[in-house]
Amino acid sequence: QIRQMVNFILQEAHEKANEIRVKTEHDFNLEKQTLVHEAKLNIQDEFTKKEKDREVQQRIARSAEIGECRVKKMKIRDDLLQKLVADAGAKCAVVARGQNYPQLLQKLIVQGLIKIEEMEVTVFCRNEDIGTIEKILDAAVQEYVEIMKRESGVTLEPKVVMNENRNRDLTANSYGGIVLTALNGKIVCDNTMASRLNLVYEELLPSIRAILFPDV
């Protein structure tokens, strides 16, 4: 009986130990599966984050490249437009060397006097145009007086003189023409070839862009 009881106790002990071992293995495998699953999720999250970061960096780089291309394209277009203006300015300079230039200067002075509407006016020109202006200035003033008398019935006696300060002569970039000032320079009428060219350029710029850059 004692042996039977011992065997029974041993049998119970073996069965209990086996249950503990099975439960331990089960808990271990379950914990391992949980850890593996969490590790996979972490890896997937990390990969997804890195992939999103890579896509963001690619978009940023692509956007920067597109912006750089646009800036380069705009600069090329601007350089082309500036060259167009420079070429037109060179042609204006040719006009300023033509035989009809004195008549043009006279018309520019008359137009400027009508616009400025002052009785004491100073004429500025390029150094090379001084001789020509001296020859046509009286005729220009007389033409202005006749126009004003015809239009308003008033006979004006404007005092129009030439600038005597050679440091203030117009530069070659003016391409010719004249500048009129009054009231000690407070009123200015820019009637240079460059000024008129810029006015035409600004007016025609949309059409010029449409012709030169039809894809814009």
Side-chain angles (χ1 to χ4, degrees):
Q1 289 180 350
I2 293 175
R3 187 176 294 111
Q4 288 177 349
M5 290 179 63
V6 169
N7 290 336
F8 176 77
I9 292 171
L10 290 175
Q11 180 68 27
E12 285 289 327
H14 285 305
E15 290 178 356
K16 194 64 176 177
N18 188 55
E19 288 180 7
I20 294 172
R21 181 182 59 78
V22 170
K23 186 176 186 307
T24 300
E25 289 181 356
H26 176 269
D27 292 344
F28 172 76
N29 290 332
L30 185 62
E31 181 69 18
K32 184 175 70 174
Q33 289 177 357
T34 301
L35 292 174
V36 170
H37 180 67
E38 290 178 352
K40 287 181 178 180
L41 291 178
N42 289 335
I43 292 173
Q44 289 177 350
D45 290 343
E46 187 67 21
F47 175 79
T48 301
K49 182 177 180 301
K50 288 183 178 181
E51 185 67 16
K52 287 182 178 179
D53 290 342
R54 185 182 65 83
E55 291 176 355
V56 169
Q57 292 302 320
Q58 284 182 340
R59 286 198 295 269
I60 292 174
R62 187 161 54 247
S63 177
E65 185 177 353
I66 293 173
E68 185 178 351
C69 289
R70 286 176 178 171
V71 171
K72 288 182 179 179
K73 185 182 291 186
M74 289 174 63
K75 186 179 185 308
I76 291 173
R77 289 173 175 171
D78 186 63
D79 290 344
L80 181 58
L81 290 172
Q82 293 304 316
K83 184 178 184 303
L84 184 66
V85 173
D87 291 344
K91 292 182 179 179
C92 288
V94 172
V95 172
R97 294 193 294 270
Q99 62 180 3
N100 294 325
Y101 184 54
Q103 292 92 322
L104 176 60
L105 283 176
Q106 180 172 330
K107 296 300 181 183
L108 291 174
I109 292 173
V110 172
Q111 186 184 62
L113 290 172
I114 293 173
K115 185 175 181 180
I116 208 168
E117 293 184 337
E118 291 293 331
M119 290 297 96
E120 293 186 4
V121 178
T122 303
V123 181
F124 292 81
C125 65
R126 298 182 303 174
N127 185 272
E128 61 199 86
D129 292 336
I130 292 175
T132 304
I133 296 291
E134 288 175 341
K135 292 178 181 177
I136 57 92
L137 185 57
D138 289 342
V141 173
Q142 184 59 36
E143 183 179 349
Y144 164 68
V145 170
E146 291 175 356
I147 291 174
M148 297 306 293
K149 183 177 181 180
R150 183 171 64 248
E151 296 297 326
S152 65
V154 178
T155 301
L156 302 177
E157 296 182 1
K159 180 182 177 182
V160 182
V161 299
M162 293 187 61
N163 163 52
E164 296 181 354
N165 184 351
R166 297 282 70 83
N167 292 326
R168 298 185 63 189
D169 286 343
L170 301 184
T171 65
N173 290 337
S174 66
Y175 304 126
I178 52 93
V179 171
L180 303 182
T181 68
L183 300 180
N184 295 320
K186 293 180 180 179
I187 299 178
V188 178
C189 176
D190 188 343
N191 235 0
T192 60
M193 302 289 277
S195 174
R196 299 178 74 84
L197 173 61
N198 287 332
L199 287 175
V200 172
Y201 171 73
E202 292 296 332
E203 182 179 344
L204 296 180
L205 184 57
S207 299
I208 294 173
R209 288 185 180 276
I211 294 172
L212 294 180
F213 317 120
D215 59 322
V216 178

